[in-house]
Amino acid sequence: MANFYISILGESISSSNLDPKWVLFREMALSAGIKFVENETADFYVAVEHSRKHLKANLEVPVKNRLLVVVEPAVVHPRQHLASIRTLYGNVLVLTNGFSVLGHERIWKGGHLPDKEIVLDLIKQNQPISSRVESAGLINAQKYSFVRGSLYKKRLQVLRHLAKNWDGEVYLAGKNWNTTFHKSIIEQSYALIMAIAGGKGIDLRQYYSHRYAHRTNINILGPQDTQYEFLSKIKFAIVVENQANYISEKLLNAFIAGCVPIYLGGNLNEYGIPENCVIQLPSDFSEVDKILNELSSSEIEKIARNGEKYITDSEILDRWSVRRGFQHLLNELLNLEKNESST
């Protein structure tokens, strides 16, 4: 039986600090007979997100037996989007073609959603969009990126514009929105260093004050137990991806919560998502309040129904299932082992 050293988002797969979402993958891998090692030489090294520390510990593993799984865009983790980093791994999986650098990476159709029964139960609990107060909201932790193409600041600009120019209530939820000036400067300095080291180009216009979200009548709520709990209470969800070349769980969560996404991100057609499920954020986002004001109640309800119709389709739920995505990744590990044993 081959030995696997697996790092996930910078943590060993055996760590008690493993991201809760990835605990399921650990259980699935163990059930499939995958053997994890840490303090001895591994036959294979698997990194979900490049980690310099963990790669250094596995330099004795042949390049052909190393697998990199890229799940974050360049604005979040720029170094793993460099060709010089990708070539340290003999096998690279990416979430989307937009993450391809070398031209021969394989697509991993990772998932974002819990099991079908859980999703459908969440949808049943939604209150009709017609009975929700006129409201728009964003749920994201406060983060910074100076990598060219970052949309972190854009989502806040949209929220601030609505708070100033729209009659509805505007909400902001997530961690770190009440951070101090000192901590903000430290975090943005680190983000700038990471952007420079990442070599993907920098954009200094992404700087913003730690009080940027506080200068309007935005209701700042802080961390929430779940995204669904927050989103299910609002009418419009601000869904602006970290970068405009992929789709994350943000859009899918808005569909599940029964709200209408105001969307900026990856090309919906590439993912088979109907455009009638969202309001596309215009390039001139100062028009967004006018768009919302001109929508009739029936038009709003129709967009919300389109999103629910999409996300409740059995094939769609299977496509975006976390469990299915993990099974695909597990198959990659088993194929690595199989191919090595046959040589």
Side-chain angles (χ1 to χ4, degrees):
M1 179 65 69
N3 295 332
F4 282 80
Y5 186 114
I6 302 177
S7 65
I8 297 177
L9 310 181
E11 295 284 349
S12 165
I13 194 170
S14 301
S15 170
S16 59
N17 296 321
L18 187 65
D19 186 297
K21 173 182 174 180
W22 286 89
V23 171
L24 173 60
F25 177 72
R26 179 171 65 194
E27 294 171 352
M28 293 173 64
L30 287 171
S31 296
I34 298 293
K35 182 182 177 183
F36 308 142
V37 295
E38 289 186 48
N39 299 318
E40 57 186 283
T41 302
D43 300 299
F44 300 93
Y45 172 53
V46 179
V48 179
E49 296 292 280
H50 168 69
S51 167
R52 180 181 178 183
K53 179 183 75 172
H54 289 288
L55 177 61
K56 186 177 179 180
N58 287 277
L59 291 177
E60 293 184 16
V61 176
V63 171
K64 66 183 180 66
N65 288 354
R66 301 176 193 167
L67 170 64
L68 172 64
V69 184
V70 179
V71 298
E72 292 287 7
V75 301
V76 178
H77 194 333
R79 283 190 57 78
Q80 68 177 355
H81 289 263
L82 295 175
S84 58
I85 296 297
R86 297 280 175 94
T87 54
L88 298 175
Y89 298 84
N91 308 272
V92 182
L93 299 179
V94 294
L95 274 182
T96 171
N97 284 324
F99 290 2
S100 180
V101 173
L102 303 176
H104 55 72
E105 294 94 335
R106 302 194 307 280
I107 302 298
W108 172 50
K109 289 188 176 181
H112 301 295
L113 301 182
D115 292 339
K116 175 181 177 180
E117 295 75 19
I118 296 175
V119 172
L120 296 178
D121 185 60
L122 287 167
I123 292 173
K124 286 179 182 178
Q125 299 176 42
N126 289 336
Q127 59 177 303
I129 197 167
S130 59
S131 65
R132 303 183 190 188
V133 296
E134 198 72 5
S135 54
L138 167 69
I139 180 165
N140 277 108
Q142 177 165 247
K143 296 179 180 179
Y144 309 98
S145 176
F146 291 96
V147 177
R148 189 177 299 147
S150 169
L151 296 178
Y152 285 0
K153 189 175 181 179
K154 175 78 75 174
R155 56 173 67 121
L156 274 183
Q157 290 174 322
V158 174
L159 208 65
R160 279 166 53 94
H161 177 80
L162 285 176
K164 290 180 179 179
N165 301 284
W166 186 55
D167 292 334
E169 293 291 323
V170 178
Y171 297 95
L172 174 61
K175 299 178 181 178
N176 302 327
W177 292 109
N178 289 309
T179 189
T180 64
F181 171 76
H182 178 69
K183 186 176 180 181
S184 169
I185 292 300
I186 291 175
E187 290 180 350
Q188 294 199 67
S189 297
Y190 177 76
L192 179 58
I193 292 170
M194 292 296 292
I196 294 171
K200 305 299 289 186
I202 63 173
D203 182 1
L204 296 178
R205 295 171 300 176
Q206 296 302 316
Y207 168 81
Y208 59 87
S209 162
H210 73 299
R211 302 293 292 178
Y212 189 72
H214 294 253
R215 294 176 182 170
T216 60
N217 58 335
I218 296 174
N219 299 289
I220 299 179
L221 304 180
Q224 303 290 298
D225 289 338
T226 69
Q227 288 199 18
Y228 307 118
E229 179 182 356
F230 170 75
L231 293 171
S232 63
K233 298 173 183 176
I234 63 174
K235 186 170 286 188
F236 300 101
I238 310 300
V239 180
V240 177
E241 296 291 5
N242 298 327
Q243 193 168 339
N245 62 349
Y246 80 121
I247 286 175
S248 72
E249 76 285 352
K250 300 179 183 68
L251 181 59
L252 305 176
N253 288 342
F255 292 151
I256 293 171
C259 42
V260 171
I262 301 172
Y263 176 73
L264 175 61
N267 187 314
L268 296 177
N269 292 324
E270 290 183 12
Y271 294 86
I273 300 177
E275 293 187 354
N276 63 6
C277 295
V278 307
I279 298 171
Q280 296 275 4
L281 185 67
S283 54
D284 180 6
F285 64 82
S286 65
E287 298 291 314
V288 67
D289 58 304
K290 298 177 184 177
I291 294 174
L292 298 189
N293 287 331
E294 292 173 359
L295 283 172
S296 67
S297 296
S298 61
E299 288 173 322
I300 293 171
E301 290 175 17
K302 184 176 181 180
I303 297 172
R305 283 198 305 271
N306 290 339
E308 181 177 320
K309 180 180 178 182
Y310 169 79
I311 204 62
T312 53
D313 183 276
S314 293
E315 291 185 4
I316 297 303
L317 287 170
D318 183 56
R319 156 64 183 93
W320 292 109
S321 163
V322 164
R323 190 178 298 274
R324 180 175 181 268
F326 284 166
Q327 186 59 57
H328 285 168
L329 181 55
L330 182 56
N331 291 343
E332 290 284 343
L333 270 60
L334 295 173
N335 284 336
L336 278 178
E337 185 175 10
K338 180 181 177 180
N339 293 338
E340 177 66 12
S341 62
S342 64
T343 58

